[in-house]
Amino acid sequence: MLLGVVRSGLVESRHPVTVAAVDGGGNVVLLAGETPGTAFFLRSAAKPFQVAVSQRNGAALAPEQLAVAAGSHGGQPVHVALVEEMLASAGLGPEHLLCPPARPASESALCNPAVGVAEPHRLFHNCSGKHAAMLRACEAQGWPLTYTDPAHPLQQEILAEVGASTGEPPGPVGVDGCGVPTFRGTVVGLARAFARLATDPALAPVAAAMSRFTPLTSDGDRGEAELARWCPAAVKGGAQGCVGVAWLGGLGVAAKCWTGEASPALAAVCLTLRRLGILSEHAWEMLAPIAHPAVTGGGRPVGHLEVLEDLP
């Protein structure tokens, strides 16, 4: 599958994308694009499974907390407040977080007077919810708080969870931007994992929280949150252009843009959901800004993202 930026009627750039859809039984119902067997780091797309392991080990998160822990938040006041409460109620503080200090990922949060702090802080890091959940699990189990170590009992259990969900070897592991281990998989493996997120009762609380509180999993104005609004689903993107969708009707869809761009992967997922009859005509129209986003120049639309090679 090939998507491209068409500016002023000419193709400016091309973005090869692989997309897959897997049903609740693990059957591949759609696969398009080049190099579908190539493994890549799942990055933040693995967060639903990481937080599920933390929850299973005593993190005891409420639905809103599950949503922010499974997401990549924008550093809005509500995100920071939820993470602070997750830590405080377990007798922990921001100093226990092992993610690096950061500024809010959201432009609107940076401009929000309620944020009140311009300097980088660990609470602002988009992964601080996931880290807080891991800390709570460590406290509950009596494990060391050195939870970023790949040999840590929590990380070993997460490694097994990701492998069981994707049906693929999750290693060799790398180090994610926030410092925790990150795992490998293919597009089919990621789709298989999100199919499990959509259908496995053990993962239902995480999927429900992500679907119900979509602004907490991102920032409310990112493409993945918009897709979750119009398609009852848990949606999670990862760095370098990957995204997984757990359609609560029983299907997992995943895409990877091999140039590392997020928007072509999200557009491919939208098109796949449309072709599978999941998105209604009205939903498709409302998702136009992410399904075929406009390209601006001089303050006006001068092009758009479109599929250059269609699905089979």
Side-chain angles (χ1 to χ4, degrees):
M1 191 176 191
L2 188 66
L3 285 87
V5 173
V6 179
R7 186 188 296 269
S8 303
L10 301 174
V11 177
E12 177 186 33
S13 57
R14 297 170 184 266
H15 302 278
V17 177
T18 303
V19 61
V22 175
D23 65 20
N27 304 302
V28 177
V29 297
L30 183 146
L31 180 61
E34 298 179 358
T35 63
T38 300
F40 57 93
F41 285 117
L42 305 179
R43 305 292 296 273
S44 286
K47 280 181 177 176
F49 310 97
Q50 292 168 307
V51 73
V53 173
S54 294
Q55 187 78 334
R56 189 166 66 223
N57 280 286
L61 301 177
E64 295 90 339
Q65 295 170 330
L66 273 177
V68 77
S72 299
H73 67 72
Q76 299 284 3
V78 64
H79 301 137
V80 173
L82 282 165
V83 177
E84 283 183 313
E85 171 57 24
M86 288 165 64
L87 293 169
S89 61
L92 301 163
E95 68 275 12
H96 293 102
L97 294 170
L98 298 182
C99 53
R103 289 185 170 86
S106 167
E107 289 293 330
S108 60
L110 285 169
C111 300
N112 189 338
V115 173
V117 179
E119 293 303 313
H121 196 287
R122 296 182 193 277
L123 288 170
F124 288 144
H125 196 286
N126 74 90
C127 296
S128 65
K130 175 182 70 177
H131 283 245
M134 290 179 176
L135 280 167
R136 288 175 66 99
C138 290
E139 278 288 292
Q141 295 294 333
W143 290 332
L145 301 186
T146 54
Y147 60 89
T148 58
D149 183 351
H152 192 281
L154 181 66
Q155 296 301 336
Q156 287 294 298
E157 194 168 330
I158 290 173
L159 180 74
E161 178 78 11
V162 172
S165 296
T166 62
E168 300 170 342
V173 301
V175 180
D176 213 338
C178 66
V180 302
T182 184
F183 316 97
R184 287 161 55 85
T186 67
V187 174
V188 170
L190 185 58
R192 187 180 295 118
F194 273 76
R196 181 176 171 232
L197 181 61
T199 58
D200 189 337
L203 297 176
V206 176
M210 293 176 67
S211 177
R212 183 179 179 189
F213 300 106
T214 57
L216 299 181
T217 66
S218 57
D219 195 38
D221 56 3
R222 295 212 300 257
E224 57 195 78
E226 192 67 15
L227 174 56
R229 288 191 185 102
W230 290 101
C231 172
V235 184
K236 188 69 199 77
Q240 296 298 306
C242 68
V243 62
V245 178
W247 176 55
L248 301 186
L251 194 74
V253 179
K256 167 69 175 176
C257 176
W258 298 105
T259 59
E261 298 290 330
S263 56
L266 199 55
V269 161
C270 289
L271 180 59
T272 300
L273 291 168
R274 177 63 172 154
R275 289 295 175 87
L276 293 173
I278 293 171
L279 290 180
S280 67
E281 186 66 33
H282 179 62
W284 177 249
E285 292 173 1
M286 297 304 296
L287 287 169
I290 62 172
H292 39 88
V295 176
T296 59
R300 62 185 178 85
V302 295
H304 57 279
L305 182 74
E306 72 175 35
V307 178
L308 302 180
E309 292 180 6
D310 214 345
L311 287 171

